[in-house]
Amino acid sequence: MVVAPVLLVVLQPAGAASAATLPVVINTWAFRKAAETAWGVLQLGGSELDAVERGCGQCEIDQCDGSVGYGGSPDESGETTLDAMIMNGNTMEVGAVADLRHVKNAISVARKVMEYTKHTLLAGESASLFAVRMGFPYEDLTTQKSLSVYSEWLNQSCQPNYWKNVIPDSSKSCGPYKRPEEVTYKEKQISRRSFHNHDTIGMIVIGGSGTVVSGTSTNGAIHKIPGRVGDSPIAGAGSYADSTAGGAAATGDGDIMMRFLPSYQAVEYMRMGTDPTVACQKVISRIQKYAPNFFGAVICANITGSYGAACNKIPGFTQFHFMVFSPLLSHPTEQVVDCI
C-alpha cells in the first residue's frame, strides 16, 4: 500500500508572531523541495552558504513554476537568461550574476563570484565566460516549451511587453520600436505578470549559531527587453543578510520593488527590534504609497528564528504562500499570509 505524503498548510494571521527556534529555512512560494534540500544540507553538517546554494539550485533544476532556471521566461528575442545572488551575513560579502546566458546553475556561479573574485556582480556574456572558466558547462537554456511560449507571444502582437512612449504603438504591435520625435508620456500602471506563473525563489537560512545567509534565483520577467535586470541579483533588493539582525528576500515586480530596497529595509527594521511580520508589512506599505497596484511579497526572519511575510493585495493575488522548515516542524511546511 502506498501512503501519500500529507501536505500541511498553515495560515498565518497578519501580524502574528511565529515561534522562534534555530536553525530555520524559509523561502518564497510553495517550493517545497527547495526548503527540503536546504534543510537536508544543514542536517548533514553543511554550511548555511551550502544550504542556500543547494536550496535555490534545486529550484533551478526543477524549473520551479517555469520562472526559475533554464527553459522559462523567454525575453523579446526568445532567449532565457538568469539572475541570481547569494549573501553571507557574517562577512557581508555578496556574489551575483545578472543576464547570465548559456549557463544553468546561476546561484552556484554567483557563489563563485563571491569566493573567487573581488567583485560583487558580473553580468551578461562576460558572466557566462567567467562561469566557463570556473568549470560550468556552456549550454543552451532554451527548451521546446520556452520556444512555444515565445511563438505564442509573437502571434499575439507581442502582448504584453515592457515598452512605453514609442512608435509603433507597443500596446498594439511588435517592434522594432523607436522614440517619437515629440514625446507625450502616458505611462499606465499595469502589472505585466501572470499570478499563476510566479517568479523568483528567495531563501533565508539561519544556522544554529546565528549565521544568516540569503539568496535568490530567477529567469526574470517573461518577454522582458533583452538586457533587463530586475531586483533578484541586487543586494538589498532581491535579498539581504546580516548576522547581527536577520535576513529578508523579495519576490514580484522587480522593476518596481528594486527602487525601494525592501530586503535591506526589512532587515533594518528588524535590527531596531521590529517583529519580522511587521517589518515585512512596513516595507510593503512603503511601496504601496508610490505603486499601489504592484505585485510583490517579502519574507523576513530575525536572528532568534522568528519569521514572517507580507504581500500587496491586488485582484488575483490576495494571499502569499511560502515554505518554512525548523526543528519545530517535522517536514517543510507551507504557510500562508493574507495580503495587506
Side-chain angles (χ1 to χ4, degrees), residues 160-211:
N161 61 63
Y162 289 86
W163 292 89
K164 65 179 184 180
N165 307 319
V166 293
I167 53 175
D169 187 342
S170 60
S171 68
K172 298 177 181 178
S173 65
C174 296
Y177 307 106
K178 63 180 182 178
R179 180 176 61 90
E181 302 251 343
E182 293 185 7
V183 182
T184 302
Y185 291 102
K186 296 180 180 179
E187 180 177 5
K188 295 181 180 179
Q189 292 289 336
I190 300 175
S191 175
R192 301 293 188 184
R193 292 222 180 249
S194 162
F195 302 122
H196 175 70
N197 184 16
H198 304 147
D199 68 343
T200 314
I201 179 170
M203 178 175 284
I204 307 159
V205 171
I206 305 181
S209 63
T211 294

Side-chain angles (χ1 to χ4, degrees), residues 2 20 27-28 30 61 64 74 102 108 116 164 172 208 223 240 252 262 266 291 317 321 325 327-328 332:
V2 178
N27 63 257
T28 55
I61 294 169
C64 287
H102 302 293
S108 293
Y116 294 102
K164 65 179 184 180
K172 298 177 181 178
H223 310 312
Y240 197 72
F317 184 57
H321 296 240
F325 210 155
L328 298 177

Side-chain angles (χ1 to χ4, degrees), residues 269 272 274 277-287 310 340:
Y269 282 136
M272 294 185 290
T274 304
T277 297
V278 177
C280 285
Q281 290 173 341
K282 285 168 74 82
V283 297
I284 291 294
S285 296
R286 181 167 175 252
I287 302 172
I340 60 173

